[in-house]
Amino acid sequence: STAQFQRMMNIVHVEGLIRGLDIAKQTYEGTNLYYRYDAFIAKQNDKLFDLTSGNSPDLLLREMLQCVE
């Protein structure tokens, strides 16, 4: 369904944001600025948890497919 496709794309987007923030954070390793992205990463992790309901990928996919039927 359209709603489940949007949900999946939002999950992909948030995962990309988290990965990008992790890469940016690593550029500051060993400095005082290393933890500057932690609040942003935590916020995105919360969004990801809300989108996935904390389910593993296989359970999430099953849930999404059941919503279509």
Side-chain angles (χ1 to χ4, degrees):
S1 70
T2 301
Q4 293 305 316
F5 179 74
Q6 287 176 325
R7 181 181 176 196
M8 179 180 63
M9 294 311 294
N10 285 334
I11 291 168
V12 170
H13 175 74
V14 171
E15 286 180 338
L17 284 175
I18 293 169
R19 179 68 180 132
L21 289 167
D22 281 335
I23 290 170
K25 178 180 177 175
Q26 294 307 312
T27 63
Y28 291 103
E29 190 170 7
T31 69
N32 293 338
L33 300 174
Y34 182 70
Y35 300 102
R36 76 183 303 177
Y37 292 103
D38 286 353
F40 300 114
I41 293 170
K43 184 176 180 180
Q44 295 306 316
N45 278 324
D46 290 344
K47 285 183 184 179
L48 184 60
F49 185 84
D50 289 343
L51 286 167
T52 63
S53 304
N55 288 329
S56 63
D58 59 331
L59 291 176
L60 179 63
L61 182 60
R62 288 181 190 164
E63 176 194 323
M64 293 173 86
L65 289 173
Q66 288 175 352
C67 291
V68 174
E69 296 172 354

